[in-house]
Amino acid sequence: MSTIVLAERLARNPWLQPHRIGLLAVAAALVASAALFMRWDWIPNYYDLALAGIWRTIWILVVTCALGMMLAIPLGLAQAAGPWWLAMPANAFCTVIRGTPLLLQLWLLYYGLGSLFPQFPAIRNSELWPYLRQAWPYAVLALTMSFAAYEGEVMRGAFAGVPKGQLEAARAFGMRRSTVFRRIWLPQAIQRALPTLAGETVLQLKATPLVATITVVDIYSVASRVRQDTFIVYEPLLLLALIYLLITGVIIFLFRRLEARIPSRLG
Amino acid sequence: MKTFLKTIAAAAILAASASLASAQTIKVGFSPEAYPPFWSADASGKWTGWEVEIIEAICGEAKLTCELTPIPWDGLIPALTTKKIDAIMNSMSITDERMKTIDFSDKYYNTPTAVIGPKGESFTADPAGLKGKIIGVQVSTTHSAYVKKHFTEAAEIKEYQTQDEANQDLAAGRIDATQADAIALDAFLKTEQGMACCDLKGNVAEDLEILGPGVGAGLRKEDTELKGKINAAIKAIRDNGKFAEITKNYFDFDVYGD
Amino acid sequence: MPLMQVSTYELLAFEPPGWGGNLLRGLLNSVIIALGAYGFGLLIGIGGAYGKLYGGPILRDLLEVYTTIVRAVPELVLILILYFAGTDLINRLLEALGYARIDINGLVAGIWVLAVVQGAYSTEVLRGAILSIPQGQIEAARAYGMPPGLLLRRVTLPAMLPFAIPGLANLWLIATKDTALLAIVGFNELTQETRTAAGSTKAYFTFFMAAGVLYLALSLFSNVLIARIERWSRRGMPSVSGGPG
């Protein structure tokens, strides 16, 4: 490769425009001064805890998005094409979950239900009790419902948006209803919903720190603990913001890869 | 909208008068959570309790106008160092760890530390008794430091934003024990919910380094003048009987300790 | 059961010792913060959208950094950073310039913090809406010699409104729900009032349910208003049912 071609490539690189070089220099100076003048000596003490916290955050994110998506499909279908006795409860569920703050839902599930347990001694003797007494099932439940309600609304539009003619054509070919759903309707609806999925997943990531308020130890609660143990306020929060930025970056990257693999032509 | 404008106006006036009145008005930070008998809220939104009355007495004695400012518990020390508030009077124990960041007045009360647990189970408040149990504590307290030091090996530790939520989870059966100030736990055990679920398991072994010599007012290190005023006021209400007068409405013993 | 119903009624009574009045005061605070944050957020959004579309390269990059960070970092973390650092920085700046410290009360700080978050989303919504205006309309106005301020007021803002309203309506609903996050910094909005009431009475379930109903009522009421505004902003435009918006 000749040097001229290389120089041309460099000039076309969006990161190497003159003003960007200036901005990057300013950013580098900010990062350097933050590294030099702020306190980071606590990091080695919390390294293991932070890794466990990041793992917990990602675990909750992945599990609740997957479960939420599975719930969102029937919710969307019920609203788009279901009989009224299915459409109405599905619609009510989405409206209630979308109309109230997630923090409140989480506290209602965890502390509200928790306050009812002593009234029903049978619960404590049941086989579910070892799970019910932990915090993470409530976190997973609340976040799953939230994702299902928001994505269910998207799926409703996606199911309704698949052209009727295609479904009729499939029926005319003699496909059974279940086959039509599996082969034609669902794949196209998911394809239509896919562009919103990256955004919804990022929103879900942004909702995960709320679980720290019900004693689940995610990365946010590790940062809070650093603040509480050492009384250093800004440094853990800034590092925490950076960690979330990186996770968001990874999510966007993965969804771009996924979308690139799936042909985007709509019928 | 009216309240909003009023607040803006009030903020503007406060800002304008800050330089004039700063000598007399201080903001006292507290965490807006029920911590009876020291702090409880009534339905009109007013805070009452032993510590609230002691704050009033200290401020009256020191000729300070004290404005109670709600800040979450784990944000109190940052709020003090960033000058959002001027003092913390919220049952905060004087400890070496906190003294690295802030200063304290003399103590104004000191009580033992206890562990409570479900009725019907009997165990002691030491590592052997708590083996395999889940113990709940409030974050960023002397108790959380204590259980981390003494019980980490034996028990699983769960941290709550407020002691009230730890009590709640103890009643719900999600944790097996909680450690806190003996008086505060006693107040919980006297409630209907507390009577139904739990009882006292005992006081923990003393550890002066972590539990500290008692509760004082948290202050910024450079505010030595304010520290002098508050120390003098604490001594004055101890001497003139005001402290005892407030205390007898809540306790049948002297919470000042020895 | 009847006993429980009586006690629920007593707990939610408006006058003390009932806590209903506290919840309503909390709701009012939540609405005030949401309105303030939404309003200031819109102003930031209009400025941001204009900056992104017509600003210089440096301004555009800085705005991109702002919207990217706000949209990727959890609101809870942003609120903590802005709440602690924001007021501290303002005061340090004032002190450095030789002014007295100002007291930024919780309400103002809450509004300001949420407005910064809302501003980033508004910027994106409004930028998209301005791009959806047929460019000929703006060009025609320029050709008539309309000054930029008048152009914004007479052409750009009214023409983009129908495109912006669905996004802005969504933002309003997010604003009302995000006020709950201020409970984490101890502000007396609805969720915090609920938490205090629940902690004091131990009736966690009752109060969280009651607060849920209040939030839901606010959302549903907002939806009705939004539908009206949407109809009004689309007056004179062809019906959109069926066709692409």
Side-chain angles (χ1 to χ4, degrees):
Chain A
M1 192 189 295
S2 73
T3 46
I4 301 169
V5 174
L6 194 70
E8 264 182 7
R9 284 219 173 151
L10 284 178
R12 256 187 282 135
N13 186 329
W15 291 100
L16 292 175
Q17 289 166 14
H19 76 277
R20 287 244 163 97
I21 295 175
L23 284 176
L24 284 176
V26 172
L30 278 177
V31 170
S33 59
L36 280 178
F37 298 118
M38 296 179 104
R39 279 186 59 189
W40 303 103
D41 52 321
W42 45 270
I43 289 180
N45 299 339
Y46 292 93
Y47 188 71
D48 294 337
L49 211 58
L51 280 186
I54 292 174
W55 167 243
R56 183 73 56 90
T57 294
I58 291 175
W59 182 87
I60 289 180
L61 176 70
V62 171
V63 168
T64 59
C65 283
L67 290 177
M69 194 62 209
M70 279 185 233
L71 256 177
I73 292 168
L75 276 172
L77 191 65
Q79 289 183 82
W84 67 269
W85 48 269
L86 274 180
M88 222 169 57
N91 190 9
F93 174 82
C94 289
T95 309
V96 168
I97 298 291
R98 283 154 35 101
T100 50
L102 179 57
L103 185 62
L104 192 78
Q105 295 164 17
L106 202 60
W107 288 356
L108 174 71
L109 281 176
Y110 188 74
Y111 290 112
L113 283 184
S115 71
L116 297 182
F117 287 158
Q119 294 174 23
F120 304 101
I123 295 176
R124 257 186 231 193
N125 301 324
S126 74
E127 281 173 30
L128 279 175
W129 180 244
Y131 298 101
L132 286 177
R133 72 182 306 204
Q134 294 180 51
W136 64 264
Y138 302 87
V140 167
L141 181 63
L143 283 171
T144 299
M145 290 201 316
S146 167
F147 192 83
Y150 284 92
E151 199 57 32
E153 200 69 16
V154 174
M155 287 309 293
R156 178 183 63 90
F159 276 120
V162 176
K164 278 262 165 7
Q166 293 206 19
L167 305 179
E168 281 158 13
R171 290 285 288 159
F173 269 116
M175 273 192 200
R176 271 182 297 153
R177 272 179 187 279
S178 58
T179 320
V180 175
F181 178 74
R182 206 156 36 84
R183 291 254 184 92
I184 314 284
W185 210 4
L186 184 62
Q188 292 212 36
I190 288 183
Q191 201 171 42
R192 277 164 191 271
L194 203 58
T196 68
L197 215 54
E200 289 289 336
T201 309
V202 172
L203 287 181
Q204 185 79 346
L205 170 71
K206 294 174 67 175
T208 54
L210 296 181
V211 304
T213 62
I214 59 165
T215 76
V216 175
V217 184
D218 71 332
I219 182 62
Y220 171 84
S221 92
V222 173
S224 304
R225 180 155 162 202
V226 174
R227 195 176 77 233
Q228 287 146 7
D229 286 355
T230 61
F231 307 115
I232 302 171
V233 182
Y234 304 129
E235 288 85 344
L237 282 173
L238 289 178
L239 190 61
L240 184 64
L242 186 68
I243 290 171
Y244 280 113
L245 267 173
L246 289 178
I247 301 178
T248 303
V250 170
I251 292 173
I252 302 231
F253 173 76
L254 288 180
F255 272 99
R256 285 231 178 107
R257 289 280 298 273
L258 184 68
E259 277 169 44
R261 287 180 57 158
I262 294 173
S264 63
R265 200 169 58 86
L266 284 172
Chain B
M1 221 40 204
K2 219 170 169 187
T3 354
F4 174 57
L5 292 177
K6 254 193 218 159
T7 330
I8 298 260
I13 292 165
L14 253 179
S17 61
S19 50
L20 298 171
S22 61
Q24 286 90 35
T25 306
I26 65 162
K27 291 183 156 236
V28 176
F30 75 102
S31 166
E33 59 186 274
Y35 193 63
F38 300 102
W39 292 86
S40 26
D42 65 15
S44 61
K46 210 172 122 44
W47 288 90
T48 53
W50 181 84
E51 198 166 10
V52 182
E53 288 191 40
I54 287 292
I55 292 173
E56 276 167 19
I58 290 174
C59 293
E61 192 63 43
K63 308 226 165 17
L64 297 163
T65 311
C66 290
E67 211 177 293
L68 286 180
T69 310
I71 306 268
W73 171 255
D74 65 348
L76 279 170
I77 290 180
L80 181 68
T81 54
T82 57
K83 300 191 180 172
K84 252 193 189 44
I85 52 175
D86 305 299
I88 302 167
M89 289 162 100
N90 200 198
S91 296
M92 188 178 271
S93 300
I94 305 163
T95 63
D96 292 345
E97 195 56 41
R98 289 179 179 138
M99 290 281 249
K100 285 183 195 158
T101 314
I102 59 170
D103 201 1
F104 279 97
S105 73
D106 295 339
K107 71 157 181 174
Y108 52 87
Y109 82 80
N110 184 26
T111 50
T113 298
V115 170
I116 62 170
K119 270 186 177 162
E121 280 181 50
S122 79
F123 55 86
T124 47
D126 53 33
L130 290 165
K131 192 144 194 68
K133 300 211 178 306
I134 307 174
I135 183 164
V137 282
Q138 182 174 10
V139 290
S140 202
T141 56
T142 51
H143 310 296
S144 107
Y146 187 96
V147 297
K148 275 179 208 159
K149 179 174 168 188
H150 294 280
F151 303 148
T152 300
E153 304 281 298
E156 185 187 331
I157 297 163
K158 238 178 156 186
E159 292 188 291
Y160 290 84
Q161 295 302 309
T162 66
Q163 181 59 39
D164 184 55
E165 285 165 358
N167 294 344
Q168 186 63 28
D169 261 11
L170 180 65
R174 288 201 184 109
I175 53 176
D176 303 306
T178 178
Q179 175 185 329
D181 180 275
I183 297 177
L185 287 179
D186 188 53
F188 168 68
L189 289 178
K190 282 189 181 129
T191 61
E192 202 180 316
Q193 192 186 29
M195 270 192 279
C197 78
C198 314
D199 58 12
L200 183 71
K201 301 300 174 199
N203 292 354
V204 299
E206 189 54 70
D207 182 343
L208 197 64
E209 192 197 329
I210 282 185
L211 295 176
V215 164
L219 302 162
R220 275 186 295 275
K221 289 198 168 181
E222 64 269 24
D223 281 354
T224 44
E225 194 194 329
L226 184 61
K227 183 180 171 182
K229 277 187 187 175
I230 288 179
N231 279 345
I234 292 172
K235 190 167 177 343
I237 61 167
R238 282 291 296 166
D239 290 343
N240 67 16
K242 184 86 187 154
F243 189 95
E245 191 185 314
I246 294 170
T247 302
K248 78 172 192 308
N249 293 333
Y250 292 89
F251 309 109
D252 47 13
F253 60 98
D254 188 2
V255 287
Y256 187 76
D258 36 43
Chain C
M1 268 330 252
L3 192 91
M4 228 175 112
Q5 274 164 3
V6 170
S7 72
T8 301
Y9 172 75
E10 275 172 6
L11 283 173
L12 293 174
F14 292 124
E15 294 297 318
W19 294 77
N22 289 38
L23 294 197
L24 288 184
R25 263 198 302 280
L27 178 66
L28 183 69
N29 270 335
S30 291
V31 172
I32 289 169
I33 298 171
L35 279 174
Y38 189 65
F40 284 119
L42 265 184
L43 289 183
I44 297 176
I46 293 173
Y50 255 72
K52 268 199 169 181
L53 288 170
Y54 307 117
I58 294 181
L59 180 66
R60 264 189 287 182
D61 278 2
L62 288 180
L63 285 169
E64 194 62 40
V65 169
Y66 161 60
T67 53
T68 307
I69 288 181
V70 169
R71 289 185 304 160
V73 176
E75 280 79 2
L76 197 55
V77 178
L78 289 172
I79 285 172
L80 281 176
I81 293 178
L82 292 172
Y83 192 77
F84 283 124
T87 50
D88 189 33
L89 283 180
I90 289 173
N91 271 328
R92 279 196 199 169
L93 199 69
L94 283 174
E95 272 183 348
L97 295 173
Y99 293 102
R101 300 175 64 86
I102 54 164
D103 175 59
I104 299 168
N105 73 12
L107 189 69
V108 176
I111 289 175
W112 183 77
V113 166
L114 286 184
V116 171
V117 175
Q118 285 269 313
Y121 287 94
S122 298
T123 298
E124 292 300 315
V125 168
L126 294 175
R127 191 183 76 100
I130 292 174
L131 282 177
S132 321
I133 303 173
Q135 285 303 300
Q137 293 191 8
I138 294 177
E139 277 161 23
R142 284 223 184 95
Y144 272 111
M146 219 181 244
L150 194 66
L151 175 75
L152 176 72
R153 200 154 50 82
R154 286 265 177 85
V155 181
T156 312
L157 284 184
M160 75 167 187
L161 213 52
F163 302 110
I165 276 184
L168 292 182
N170 205 15
L171 274 185
W172 163 249
L173 294 174
I174 291 175
T176 58
K177 283 179 285 173
D178 273 359
T179 56
L181 298 179
L182 293 175
I184 304 291
V185 289
F187 186 75
N188 264 347
E189 46 63 67
L190 180 50
T191 302
Q192 176 64 26
E193 288 280 5
T194 308
R195 200 186 192 186
T196 308
S200 302
T201 59
K202 303 289 162 207
Y204 282 82
F205 200 77
T206 311
F207 280 109
F208 286 138
M209 282 302 262
V213 170
L214 288 179
Y215 276 114
L216 190 62
L218 180 61
S219 284
L220 294 179
F221 177 69
S222 303
N223 280 339
V224 173
L225 274 187
I226 289 163
R228 285 207 176 164
I229 294 173
E230 200 159 1
R231 267 206 304 281
W232 169 80
S233 77
R234 283 189 180 279
R235 68 204 187 283
M237 291 181 84
S239 161
V240 288
S241 56

